Amino acid sequence: MLVDQIAVFLENRKGRIFALSDLLAKNGVDLIALSIADTNDFGIVRLVTDNNDRALEVLRRAGFTAATNSLIGIEVEDKPGGLAEVLKIFDDNDIDIEYLYSFARVEAKKAIILVKVADTDKTLEILLKHNIKLLDRSI
Amino acid sequence: MKYFNETMETMKRSELECLQGERLKSLVARVYQNVPYYREKMDAIKLKPSDIKSLKDITKLPYTTKSDLRANYPFGTFAAPKRDIVRVHASSGTTGKLTVVGYTKNDLQAWAECCARSLVMAGCDEESVIHISYGYGLFTGGLGMHYGSELLGSMTVPVSSGNTMRQIMLLKDFGATCLCCTPSYAIYLAEEITKSGLKASDLSLKAGVFGAEPWSEAMRKQIEASLNLKAFDIYGLSEISGPGVGMECYLQNGTHIQEDYFYPEIVDADTLEPLPFLEKGELVFTTLTKEGIPLIRYRTRDITSLDDTPCECGRTSVRMGRVFGRSDDMLIIRGVNVFPSQIETVLLNMGDKIGPHYQIIVERINNLDFIEIQVELTQKSFSGTVKDIERIRAEIDHDMQSMIGINAKITLVSPNTIPRSEGKAVRIIDKRKI
């Protein structure tokens, strides 16, 4: 019911994000989604890949600080209001979103929203009640 | 006014040495009687107070260090009963406990006298308006100069540190003639004065008494030009009393040590053998009259030299050169003493939230000191959220602030990115060029 993500700590130094993507490329890992949270001194890169186990292994071996997290993956129609409809449910139920990122599947006319909340179980229950389409680990 | 205390300041060397000898004898007798710490130390080398017959016998006495003060924290090296102690000050210790000093009424009087003499050396008198931007509190800078200025009879403006815009307003409105602060703050102040649209000539400053951190002749030229004043170097440390242990006269050629109160020696920092005049070594002081916390042959860790050639100003005291460095790893950041061991203590208390390696980077940006502490995150402590990293950083930040008393920038870096070394780790990178 949940989507696995890899979070990688990156210092604000030249070439770090390139080193990360280059490493994944050389190990044949395909990126499905990527988002960066940045602060003054460091960033956290969040990735969903076609092979998270492999990605985690190569990243750690190369000295990156990486952790895995589970996110709620939601599929909506790729049309105006697709995201807002889902977020209204979060809002109505007072669910705080820690962070969120999304990507579109243009051919399928679908958009995927990946959400991190504090209480995942409760959120899943509410989303299911509203017949929201949830993704599992194989995006 | 030429001297604050002409008799003492211009006393013949032979007479001064005689006075120092008498004071030393009574000091040794007093500490042997009143301070178990000193008695034990002297007993251990079978030295009796009666073995100290004149000033030259001082070399028989054992040294005292900051760690001796720490081991006897807080009041173990005090020689006066608590009811006679009227004030305490404190400076950084090496691992979190402060180095505490206590003053009797006589000690405060002597200290104020030293500061008053110092202000006179900077050309001040009863007509002066003395603006004191040293911090007031446990730090000796503010209150030390304050009581010296009052004893001299000058108008004393106890501004303390911080709020630069207000400082500038008061300097101008009150017509301050003398500024007391750290040299780096003086440079910063000059820049802020320019930014505010004022000129140094809009102020009435004639002299600046700058200390609490090492500075250079280049900085002196810069300060004198930008603030349109004569810049004087003042030396002191809280263990010995505070500012005013030494002060430059108008010839600006070394700080005159107030030798009737503090007997200086220069010793080899490794062998502890006394060194002759003009040779560089570690500065050691014996407080000849102090009652609260008399210190015998206290190792300051400051590396400098002493010059006994007569000074044209008429004062007969020896003069101390610039401080070239330290014989320990103490850092002076914006006038505050910081020991790397204090920083390490905070980091060790964080447990496995952070890695064991760290690096301290000190820089001077726009004439102000900045300290950055780089710490490695651990695989375990990384959860993937910014919030959790910020929480670790805030925790270190908070503990660091209460340990070292100043703000340090805490930077979390990836594991294994702080350079390892085979031998002694390079923990401190001091990029300041003073």
Side-chain angles (χ1 to χ4, degrees), chain B residues 14 38 83 92 142 152 176 207-208 219 243 247 260 274 285 396 434:
Chain B
S14 56
Y38 281 116
R83 66 169 183 278
S92 314
L152 176 59
M219 283 173 79
M247 172 73 188
D260 47 331
F285 275 114
I396 302 174
I434 297 168

Coordinates of all heavy atoms in Angstrom, one line a residue, chain B residues 14 38 83 92 142 152 176 207-208 219 243 247 260 274 285 396 434:
Chain B
S14 N 65.6 49.3 41.8 CA 66.2 48.6 43.0 C 65.1 48.6 44.1 O 64.9 47.6 44.8 CB 67.5 49.3 43.5 OG 67.2 50.6 43.7
Y38 N 48.3 25.0 48.1 CA 49.7 25.5 48.0 C 50.6 24.8 49.1 O 51.7 24.5 48.8 CB 49.7 27.0 48.3 CG 49.4 27.8 47.0 CD1 48.3 28.7 47.0 CD2 50.1 27.7 45.9 CE1 47.9 29.4 45.9 CE2 49.8 28.4 44.7 CZ 48.7 29.3 44.7 OH 48.4 30.0 43.6
R83 N 33.5 35.3 53.7 CA 32.9 36.6 54.1 C 33.7 37.8 53.6 O 33.2 38.9 53.6 CB 32.7 36.7 55.7 CG 34.0 36.7 56.4 CD 33.8 37.0 57.9 NE 35.1 37.0 58.6 CZ 35.7 35.9 59.0 NH1 35.2 34.8 58.9 NH2 36.9 36.1 59.5
S92 N 36.3 31.1 30.9 CA 36.1 29.7 30.4 C 37.1 28.8 31.1 O 38.2 29.1 31.3 CB 36.4 29.7 28.9 OG 35.8 30.7 28.3
G142 N 34.3 44.6 31.3 CA 33.4 45.7 31.6 C 33.6 46.3 33.0 O 34.0 47.5 33.1
L152 N 39.4 57.1 38.6 CA 40.1 58.2 38.0 C 39.2 59.5 38.1 O 39.8 60.6 38.1 CB 40.4 57.9 36.5 CG 41.1 58.9 35.7 CD1 42.4 59.4 36.3 CD2 41.3 58.4 34.3
A176 N 32.0 61.0 23.9 CA 33.0 60.1 24.5 C 34.4 60.5 24.0 O 34.6 60.7 22.8 CB 32.7 58.6 24.1
A207 N 41.2 58.6 22.4 CA 41.9 57.4 22.7 C 41.0 56.2 22.7 O 39.8 56.3 22.9 CB 42.6 57.5 24.1
G208 N 41.7 55.0 22.4 CA 40.9 53.8 22.5 C 41.8 52.8 23.3 O 43.0 52.7 23.1
M219 N 46.3 46.3 12.4 CA 45.0 46.7 12.9 C 45.0 48.0 13.7 O 44.1 48.8 13.6 CB 44.5 45.6 13.9 CG 44.0 44.3 13.2 SD 43.7 43.0 14.4 CE 42.1 43.5 15.0
P243 N 41.5 43.3 33.1 CA 42.3 44.2 32.3 C 43.1 45.1 33.2 O 42.8 45.3 34.4 CB 41.2 45.1 31.6 CG 40.0 44.9 32.4 CD 40.1 43.5 33.0
M247 N 49.6 47.8 30.4 CA 49.0 48.8 29.5 C 50.1 49.6 28.8 O 51.2 49.9 29.4 CB 48.2 49.7 30.4 CG 47.7 50.9 29.7 SD 46.3 50.5 28.5 CE 46.1 52.1 27.7
D260 N 54.2 46.4 40.7 CA 54.1 46.4 42.2 C 53.0 45.4 42.6 O 52.9 45.0 43.8 CB 53.9 47.8 42.7 CG 52.8 48.6 42.0 OD1 52.6 48.3 40.8 OD2 52.2 49.4 42.6
P274 N 63.4 29.5 33.4 CA 63.3 31.0 33.2 C 64.1 31.5 32.0 O 65.2 31.0 31.9 CB 63.7 31.6 34.5 CG 63.6 30.5 35.5 CD 63.8 29.2 34.8
F285 N 52.8 34.8 35.8 CA 52.6 35.9 36.8 C 52.5 35.4 38.2 O 51.9 34.3 38.5 CB 51.3 36.6 36.5 CG 51.5 37.7 35.5 CD1 50.9 37.6 34.2 CD2 52.2 38.8 35.7 CE1 51.0 38.6 33.3 CE2 52.3 39.8 34.8 CZ 51.7 39.7 33.5
I396 N 22.6 20.6 19.4 CA 24.1 20.9 19.5 C 24.3 22.4 19.8 O 25.0 22.8 20.6 CB 24.9 20.5 18.3 CG1 24.7 19.0 18.0 CG2 26.3 20.8 18.4 CD1 25.3 18.5 16.7
I434 N 46.0 37.7 11.8 CA 45.9 38.9 12.6 C 47.3 39.6 12.5 O 48.3 39.0 12.6 CB 45.7 38.5 14.1 CG1 44.3 37.9 14.2 CG2 45.7 39.7 15.0 CD1 44.0 37.2 15.5

